[in-house]
Amino acid sequence: MGSCIICGKSVEGRICDLHEEDALFEFRGSRADQLSVDRYYRGSVDGFAEFGVFVDIGDSVTGLLHRSELDQRLDSLDWEPGDTVYVQVKNVRDNGNVDLGWSIRQSEREFRGVLVDDPEIGHSVLLENEDDEDEAQSDDSDEEASRPSTDESAGQSDDESDADDGTESDDSSATNAGAVSRASDDERVEGTAAVGGNDSGSDTAVVTETEDEGATEAETEEATAAEPVAAAIGDLDDHVGADVRLEGEVVGIRQTSGPTVFELQDETGTVDCAAFVEAGVRAYPEVEEDDYVRLSGEVRERRGELQVETEELDVLEAEEREEVEQRLADALDDEARPDTAEPLADDTAVAALSDDLVEAATQIRKAVLTDRPVIVRHANTADGYLAGSALERAALPLVTEQHRRADAKYHYFDRRPIEGGVYDMDDATKDTTTMLDNRERHEEKLPLFVFVAAGGTRESLDGFDLLNVYGAPSVVIDDIDVDGAVVDTVDAVVSPSADTVSETTSTALAANVAAHVNEDVRDDLQHLPAVSFWEDIPEPYLDAASEAGYDETAVSELREAVALEAHYQSYEDKRELITDLVFGDDEEDVGGLAGHIAEQFREKVDEEVSTARANLDHRTVGDVDIAVLDTDAFTHQYEFPPESLLLDELHRDVRDESDAVLGISTDTMYVRANGDLDLHELVSEVSERVPEGGVATRSVREGTIRYLAGERPAVLDATLDVLADEL
């Protein structure tokens, strides 16, 4: 009998059946038939085929990891030849082919030790003790060679031979005792017991540490009584072998078949802290993720990674918790906060918002650093799509850098269009359902919601309130003067003052935020603000676009192409097409793509505007001419262009002859006026005149009003009168 080198249990071989599946093996053999089926091995990627991945196990054996064994599509793997992977040997065929299975554990630290599988040794050895095994074998060999080969010696038992030697038995006992005394220490750190001795005299290869022979009892007691040193996780390299005291947040807990491992994070880094009660039993069950704790223990280095052997762990409460929580929050803010960057072009509205731009960028960078998904909710307009694309361009490289997963850029960043620029309860309910499902199923943090060209008016308050119930953070970037109630509800706002609203766009604001989020993409963003202006493009933005290779024709074509695609992607954005259009990674092909789509835009819009213009009903109230279009009768419902874009184009076409344009359908009215108009005040006045009309603002951004269909004539008459008074 021997003892399991993982747990010390008495077994016939070197490792018990229970821990065979918990250990990782490093193969040193030369033939496939020397592999052990069901064991997990460290391998390296050799190459790819249609049906799977070839993985080298050791230096001489290659197996096939069939695509059916993978947990994702073969073409989505981000492996490169030579990358380390962890696989299970499922079968060794008679012809030498090796069938491999996928291991969900893809990190050494998730196994309970690394063992050498060397057919020449004949048994498994802990990798960290391999040198000791070789030395022990060498010593045994030398000793056997020097031992006299007499009949008397040959007839003695091992115990009798040791006794005759006089000292060897004592030395062996001392070594074994030392091994046993260290076993619980090693179990605490990695769940692997370095058990070296047992009643049967097993020839284990584990050699353990012993006290310095010269250490005095007083020195030992002094070291035991020493207080742990307060340390930061980032400085633990300087404290290996010492007892330290750490304070931080528990960001992960995993229960192994040995210790409980707490992932502790402070303002300088993250470290695994192993706490051991007994194999597979949860240590400190009162501790939960997101708790702030004070932890004491010894710093150990295991296979190149630092780990703390936990001796004491206390959950911080009240003022102590607040102090540590604030310290970590301040450090994260400092790390995430970018320097103030120069505006992309000379824009007075942007220049006045430098602090707000930095704060919004900080929120986005902080989300990426803390593995919080970022959800950009933008209006389904050209301005909304361009603004959302600017943030996407800046954030995706940071997400990819933060996460090694091939699908990280889809998992940790999403961009979703929103109708009318209003975040209503329908949108908020869908988002809340999705985020709670992801938290429950994948332990995902609640996302940061960034609203662009959307969410700036009080019509979105109900949606924000629902997000706030669950504590999901939010940022609003909008080119309107954001409602004060919204400002008080969200975490950060970028919004121009009332007197500069008409001088900028949401894209101009969002592109400048994006330049703060990631300065490496600044050049990619230069042309976007110019594209977002439908008319009167500021000269500095035209110059910036020209420097980026976009003349006025290219700017116009790109705007119209994005507007057309924004309509067709209203409910589910497909980022690749918009990315090709907006950023032109292949300039020749993309230029042709934008021109082709813009041509479709112009044909459809010109036809609809021509039809609408011919069917305008001009109403004169006092000295004011108001053009009224029955959108139910004289537009193609649910086709391009949507009513909002059509009314914009129509108003630009007739504003020299009419002071305002009204588009009226069964229960919705679109208002376009030459002068400044407060839609909320307009609605309030109309509602007073038609109290039974159910008149309410639908979207300030779109200039839309809702009312009861049966009160349509009364609402129209009241609106004409109020507009005439206002204009």
Side-chain angles (χ1 to χ4, degrees):
M1 293 286 290
S3 58
C4 173
I5 59 178
I6 293 289
C7 66
K9 176 183 176 182
S10 294
V11 291
E12 297 235 353
R14 301 286 295 179
I15 184 169
C16 66
D17 293 339
L18 176 64
H19 292 115
E20 177 91 11
E21 64 183 27
D22 291 336
L24 175 67
F25 289 85
E26 184 171 293
F27 184 57
R28 299 288 178 83
S30 58
R31 302 191 316 273
D33 60 8
Q34 294 173 326
L35 290 165
S36 296
V37 174
D38 292 334
R39 279 186 176 178
Y40 290 92
Y41 287 91
R42 187 198 343 252
S44 62
V45 176
D46 179 63
F48 296 86
E50 273 187 30
F51 42 82
V53 184
F54 291 106
V55 177
D56 291 336
I57 309 296
D59 296 330
S60 306
V61 177
T62 299
L64 174 65
L65 180 61
H66 195 271
R67 64 186 180 189
S68 63
E69 293 285 340
L70 296 169
D71 64 350
Q72 58 185 296
R73 290 172 58 87
L74 188 62
D75 55 10
S76 69
L77 291 174
D78 61 349
W79 294 345
E80 298 289 339
D83 283 355
T84 298
V85 292
Y86 302 90
V87 293
Q88 185 181 32
V89 172
K90 307 284 283 188
N91 184 34
V92 179
R93 301 176 185 269
D94 293 339
N95 62 2
N97 290 346
V98 180
D99 298 330
L100 301 176
W102 171 248
S103 169
I104 61 172
R105 293 174 286 191
Q106 287 295 309
S107 170
E108 250 186 45
R109 68 182 185 180
E110 296 179 43
F111 293 91
R112 295 196 57 196
V114 182
L115 290 85
V116 175
D117 184 354
D118 191 341
E120 292 188 6
I121 296 178
H123 57 258
S124 302
V125 180
L126 280 170
L127 180 62
E128 61 192 75
N129 297 311
E130 184 182 13
D131 292 340
D132 296 332
E133 169 78 0
D134 293 341
E135 183 178 343
Q137 284 189 332
S138 176
D139 290 345
D140 289 345
S141 215
D142 292 344
E143 183 179 336
E144 184 66 32
S146 61
R147 184 174 294 173
S149 179
T150 63
D151 292 340
E152 181 181 2
S153 175
Q156 290 177 326
S157 68
D158 288 342
D159 291 340
E160 289 170 338
S161 296
D162 290 343
D164 287 345
D165 186 83
T167 59
E168 187 175 347
S169 177
D170 290 342
D171 291 344
S172 175
S173 299
T175 301
N176 289 342
V180 172
S181 71
R182 300 293 296 176
S184 59
D185 290 343
D186 287 346
E187 280 183 329
R188 285 185 178 181
V189 177
E190 298 183 274
T192 56
V195 179
N198 51 65
D199 293 339
S200 65
S202 171
D203 61 340
T204 178
V206 179
V207 178
T208 57
E209 303 173 19
T210 57
E211 298 285 347
D212 273 343
E213 293 181 4
T216 66
E217 184 176 346
E219 288 172 335
T220 302
E221 290 178 356
E222 182 179 352
T224 303
E227 285 293 322
V229 177
I233 291 174
D235 298 330
L236 290 184
D237 281 328
D238 300 329
H239 297 283
V240 175
D243 288 337
V244 297
R245 183 174 63 253
L246 307 173
E247 291 180 340
E249 180 184 7
V250 177
V251 296
I253 302 174
R254 64 182 187 275
Q255 181 62 54
T256 72
S257 53
T260 305
V261 180
F262 298 94
E263 189 176 0
L264 187 67
Q265 182 179 77
D266 70 4
E267 64 270 33
T268 64
T270 304
V271 69
D272 281 349
C273 304
F276 187 82
V277 179
E278 59 181 274
V281 176
R282 172 75 144 83
Y284 301 103
E286 72 280 6
V287 178
E288 300 177 353
E289 286 191 26
D290 302 324
D291 278 344
Y292 287 80
V293 303
R294 180 177 295 115
L295 182 149
S296 299
E298 182 183 350
V299 182
R300 299 276 185 92
E301 184 173 359
R302 296 293 176 183
R303 294 189 294 277
E305 294 186 7
L306 293 181
Q307 191 170 241
V308 178
E309 178 190 344
T310 304
E311 297 171 0
E312 186 176 354
L313 193 157
D314 297 309
V315 177
L316 301 178
E317 303 288 352
E319 293 182 1
E320 287 187 318
R321 175 192 169 101
E322 290 177 8
E323 180 182 347
V324 176
E325 189 173 5
Q326 188 61 51
R327 191 180 75 227
L328 268 62
D330 291 344
L332 179 59
D333 280 344
D334 290 343
E335 182 181 3
R337 187 171 299 278
D339 295 331
T340 301
E342 287 294 320
L344 295 175
D346 185 13
D347 184 335
T348 56
V350 170
L353 297 171
S354 59
D355 291 343
D356 295 338
L357 298 173
V358 169
E359 181 57 33
T362 300
Q363 293 291 333
I364 295 171
R365 288 169 55 86
K366 188 193 303 184
V368 174
L369 289 172
T370 57
D371 302 337
R372 186 185 298 277
V374 177
I375 308 296
V376 174
R377 292 295 245 144
H378 60 78
N380 61 333
T381 61
D383 190 25
Y385 267 81
L386 291 164
S389 296
L391 295 175
E392 180 180 81
R393 191 70 166 186
L396 287 187
L398 303 184
V399 170
T400 302
E401 182 180 331
Q402 182 76 7
H403 303 278
R404 291 194 59 195
R405 287 179 51 170
D407 62 346
K409 64 182 181 179
Y410 296 98
H411 187 73
Y412 288 97
F413 187 97
D414 196 8
R415 180 159 54 78
R416 304 171 188 167
I418 188 172
E419 187 175 358
V422 175
Y423 190 61
D424 58 22
M425 282 297 291
D426 185 38
D427 296 308
T429 300
K430 290 176 182 176
D431 284 344
T432 301
T433 301
T434 300
M435 76 181 186
L436 294 179
D437 182 59
N438 288 338
R439 184 176 69 176
E440 180 67 24
R441 295 174 59 190
H442 309 298
E443 298 184 352
E444 187 176 276
K445 292 184 178 180
L446 298 182
L448 166 69
F449 288 91
V450 183
F451 297 89
V452 189
T457 64
R458 66 190 69 166
E459 289 75 32
S460 296
L461 284 174
D462 288 343
F464 290 144
D465 286 342
L466 182 57
L467 293 183
N468 287 338
V469 167
Y470 292 97
S474 54
V475 173
V476 172
I477 304 171
D478 208 338
D479 62 356
I480 65 172
D481 186 11
V482 170
D483 194 292
V486 173
V487 175
D488 294 338
T489 302
V490 300
D491 295 274
V493 172
V494 178
S495 166
S497 59
D499 58 345
T500 58
V501 162
S502 60
E503 299 176 9
T504 192
T505 64
S506 294
T507 299
L509 299 176
N512 278 281
V513 171
H516 285 74
V517 171
N518 185 357
E519 62 180 8
D520 291 342
V521 301
R522 182 184 180 89
D523 291 344
D524 296 344
L525 310 172
Q526 294 285 350
H527 65 294
L528 296 188
V531 177
S532 65
F533 286 86
W534 281 97
E535 55 184 350
D536 301 328
I537 305 173
E539 198 66 33
Y541 283 131
L542 273 177
D543 293 341
S546 179
E547 290 178 9
Y550 293 80
D551 59 19
E552 286 195 57
T553 299
V555 165
S556 177
E557 288 181 345
L558 182 52
R559 178 191 314 115
E560 293 171 352
V562 172
L564 183 68
E565 292 304 328
H567 171 74
Y568 289 118
Q569 294 193 7
S570 292
Y571 299 103
E572 186 178 0
D573 177 35
K574 301 298 184 184
R575 67 172 56 157
E576 288 79 8
L577 175 57
I578 295 296
T579 299
D580 283 348
L581 278 173
V582 172
F583 297 108
D585 294 327
D586 186 340
E587 294 184 7
E588 183 177 348
D589 291 343
V590 170
L593 176 64
H596 172 69
I597 297 176
E599 185 177 347
Q600 296 180 46
F601 171 94
R602 187 47 53 194
E603 288 176 359
K604 293 176 181 292
V605 168
D606 288 348
E607 180 181 352
E608 289 290 311
V609 169
S610 177
T611 300
R613 185 183 178 97
N615 291 282
L616 284 175
D617 178 15
H618 288 271
R619 306 283 188 92
T620 302
V621 183
D623 295 331
V624 177
D625 181 87
I626 302 175
V628 180
L629 175 69
D630 186 334
T631 57
D632 284 339
F634 301 110
T635 65
H636 291 95
Q637 300 295 307
Y638 311 113
E639 293 185 12
F640 187 84
E643 287 91 342
S644 179
L645 193 151
L646 172 61
L647 268 294
D648 286 340
E649 288 283 325
L650 184 61
H651 177 238
R652 283 191 283 267
D653 193 55
V654 303
R655 64 186 169 194
D656 291 339
E657 56 197 76
S658 296
D659 298 291
V661 174
L662 292 183
I664 186 164
S665 65
T666 302
D667 61 357
T668 304
M669 184 185 301
Y670 295 84
V671 182
R672 301 291 186 269
N674 292 349
D676 293 334
L677 184 68
D678 187 322
L679 195 67
H680 287 123
E681 289 186 8
L682 174 69
V683 167
S684 177
E685 184 67 26
V686 172
S687 183
E688 285 186 15
R689 299 190 184 199
V690 191
E692 297 83 14
V695 183
T697 306
R698 178 178 178 271
S699 170
V700 170
R701 295 193 61 85
E702 286 193 332
T704 53
I705 300 170
R706 282 277 177 85
Y707 48 83
L708 297 177
E711 295 291 336
R712 168 175 163 167
V715 171
L716 175 58
D717 290 342
T719 303
L720 290 171
D721 290 340
V722 173
L723 264 179
D725 292 341
E726 292 287 336
L727 297 177

